[in-house]
């Protein structure tokens, strides 16, 4: 069991990308995955083919992958792929890493780049693009290393734009697992609501509490919140609590029951049921699945 003094941490990768580069690309064929769970300051776009039944870990989300996949991981989001049940000896992988400031903030606020900006904001949870999108963009990603200079930068921007407007994107990690996420729903009311829920997630929070804080009626706020975030207030609060619980399961030696109560779940059976539904495993299994994948720094 981990303790506060010997707690394992995530490997922080120092990428070879310099401040004079726009992006770096690694293209390789291999027989398995051997890089540990890690994070870094840069965005990472990972294209993988012929690795069915390998396991992907993004933040607090884990699942076996399909024959082809394309994932965007935002800055400082822990991620890794593991061989797991994959039997292929010819795994194709293309990894593209680029600076978080490659696109100037003022540039991203132009109307024509609004979809890319939104995608970058959501990438701190990890974005899995649809199989159809991965197949459609595969040739361009595989051939990107054949481009040169300015043409390669333009092609990367074009690929990112096509990804940003693609359909059926999936967000992988819980919203609060990566503490660097900023909620930007273009509404101060929504932002302050999330700030309030993150500050008081361990306490009882009702719709009346947040509606009052937003200076709206409960019915109006509930409708407003759903329109702006795509989630109900209860679903968002549960997601925030699960994000904090997941982080504590990895980073502390507290018991599962203690973590549940510390994160605002006052019923253990309810916590276990919700956790299994969202993660596909029990809290104990989740904690055990991370052991041995982190290294001392």
């Amino acid at each position: 069991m981990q303790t506060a003094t010997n707690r394992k941490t995530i490997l922080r990768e120092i990428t070879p990308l310099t401040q004079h580069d726009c992006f770096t690309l690694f293209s390789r064929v291999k027989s398995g995955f051997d890089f540990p769970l890690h994070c870094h300051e840069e965005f990472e776009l990972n294209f993988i083919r012929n690795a069915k039944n390998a396991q992907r870990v993004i933040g607090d989300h884990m699942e076996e992958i399909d024959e082809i996949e394309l994932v965007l991981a935002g800055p400082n989001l822990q991620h890794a792929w593991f061989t797991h049940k994959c039997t292929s000896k010819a795994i194709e992988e293309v990894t593209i890493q680029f600076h978080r400031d490659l696109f100037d903030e003022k540039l991203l606020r132009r109307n024509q780049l609004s979809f890319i900006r939104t995608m970058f904001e959501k990438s701190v949870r990890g974005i899995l693009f649809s199989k159809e999108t991965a197949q459609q963009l595969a040739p361009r990603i595989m051939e990107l290393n054949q481009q040169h200079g300015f043409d390669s930068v333009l092609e990367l921007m074009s690929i990112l734009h096509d990804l940003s407007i693609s359909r059926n994107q999936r967000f992988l990690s819980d919203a609060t697992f990566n503490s660097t996420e900023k909620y930007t729903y273009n509404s101060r009311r929504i932002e302050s609501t999330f700030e309030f829920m993150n500050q008081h997630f361990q306490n009882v929070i009702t719709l009346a509490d947040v509606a009052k804080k937003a200076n709206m009626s409960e019915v109006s706020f509930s409708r407003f919140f759903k329109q702006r975030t795509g989630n109900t207030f209860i679903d968002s609060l549960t997601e925030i609590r699960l994000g904090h619980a997941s982080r504590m399961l990895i980073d502390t030696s507290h018991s599962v029951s203690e973590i549940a109560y510390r994160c605002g779940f006052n019923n253990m059976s309810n916590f276990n049921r919700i956790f299994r539904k969202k993660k596909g495993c029990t809290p104990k299994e989740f904690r055990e699945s991370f052991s041995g994948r982190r290294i001392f720094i």
Side-chain angles (χ1 to χ4, degrees):
M1 180 173 289
Q2 297 179 28
T3 66
T5 56
N6 72 355
R7 186 173 63 206
K8 297 177 182 178
T9 52
I10 308 303
L11 170 66
R12 175 162 288 279
E13 180 190 5
I14 306 299
T15 69
L17 198 62
T18 73
Q19 287 302 315
H20 300 292
D21 302 316
C22 287
F23 69 93
T24 185
L25 181 149
F26 304 95
S27 179
R28 51 208 177 273
V29 177
K30 56 188 186 180
S31 59
F33 298 94
D34 56 8
F35 202 73
L37 193 65
H38 65 285
C39 64
H40 42 71
E41 290 286 335
E42 294 78 15
F43 285 94
E44 179 171 303
L45 182 64
N46 232 32
F47 171 78
I48 298 174
R49 186 160 54 188
N50 301 329
K52 187 176 179 63
N53 297 325
Q55 184 183 61
R56 176 198 338 106
V57 178
I58 300 284
D60 63 354
H61 184 273
M62 297 174 291
E63 70 178 349
E64 292 183 7
I65 71 174
D66 207 341
E67 185 71 19
I68 185 173
E69 78 163 13
L70 184 58
V71 171
L72 178 64
N76 299 312
L77 177 64
Q78 63 185 50
H79 57 281
W81 279 258
F82 300 98
T83 305
H84 192 49
K85 299 176 183 177
C86 177
T87 58
S88 172
K89 300 302 179 184
I91 299 169
E92 296 178 80
E93 182 177 36
V94 178
T95 301
I96 301 170
Q97 295 174 335
F98 55 95
H99 294 294
R100 57 194 305 175
D101 61 356
L102 177 61
F103 296 87
D104 182 78
E105 181 65 25
K106 290 182 179 179
L107 176 64
L108 285 174
R109 294 199 175 279
R110 309 299 185 194
N111 289 337
Q112 291 78 6
L113 277 80
S114 61
F115 288 104
I116 291 180
R117 184 183 74 242
T118 299
M119 180 177 71
F120 284 172
E121 290 170 353
K122 298 302 182 184
S123 70
V124 291
R125 298 178 61 180
I127 301 174
L128 173 66
F129 299 98
S130 71
K131 184 176 181 180
E132 291 73 24
T133 297
Q135 290 171 330
Q136 181 182 0
L137 291 179
R140 293 170 61 191
I141 292 173
M142 297 294 290
E143 295 169 7
L144 185 58
N145 61 356
Q146 299 175 21
Q147 302 276 353
H148 300 284
F150 189 60
D151 289 339
S152 64
V153 177
L154 286 178
E155 178 64 358
L156 174 61
M157 292 179 66
S158 178
I159 290 172
L160 291 172
H161 175 262
D162 288 349
L163 287 174
S164 72
I165 61 175
S166 65
R167 299 171 60 86
N168 302 319
Q169 301 175 19
R170 277 181 58 204
F171 303 130
L172 299 175
S173 183
D174 271 335
T176 55
F177 186 83
N178 186 349
S179 61
T180 63
E181 176 163 11
K182 305 298 182 189
Y183 295 98
T184 51
Y185 296 106
N186 298 318
S187 168
R188 182 56 197 161
R189 282 174 170 168
I190 296 297
E191 290 176 13
S192 63
T193 297
F194 276 110
E195 289 172 5
F196 178 78
M197 289 192 291
N198 270 295
Q199 290 171 0
H200 304 283
F201 65 90
Q202 68 273 26
N203 302 323
V204 174
I205 302 177
T206 66
L207 177 61
D209 293 332
V210 291
K212 183 178 180 181
K213 186 171 181 60
N215 198 27
M216 299 174 70
S217 71
E218 292 182 37
V219 173
S220 296
F221 177 79
S222 182
R223 186 185 307 115
F224 173 74
F225 190 91
K226 181 68 181 292
Q227 288 174 341
R228 287 303 181 102
T229 69
N231 263 345
T232 66
F233 155 69
I234 291 297
D235 286 343
S236 293
L237 178 59
T238 298
E239 193 171 77
I240 285 172
R241 286 172 168 162
L242 284 176
H244 286 287
S246 299
R247 174 66 72 180
M248 291 179 70
L249 284 166
I250 293 174
D251 287 348
T252 76
S253 58
H254 300 317
S255 68
V256 173
S257 59
E258 185 177 358
I259 289 173
Y261 289 115
R262 285 190 178 207
C263 292
F265 295 95
N266 296 320
N267 182 295
M268 271 303 296
S269 60
N270 186 49
F271 172 66
N272 285 323
R273 179 182 59 79
I274 293 175
F275 197 98
R276 179 184 282 276
K277 181 178 179 181
K278 290 283 287 185
K279 307 295 183 188
C281 62
T282 67
K284 182 180 178 182
E285 290 168 342
F286 176 84
R287 169 176 270 173
E288 290 174 348
S289 69
F290 275 88
S291 63
R293 288 188 179 153
R294 302 188 301 279
I295 67 171
F296 289 102
I297 293 177

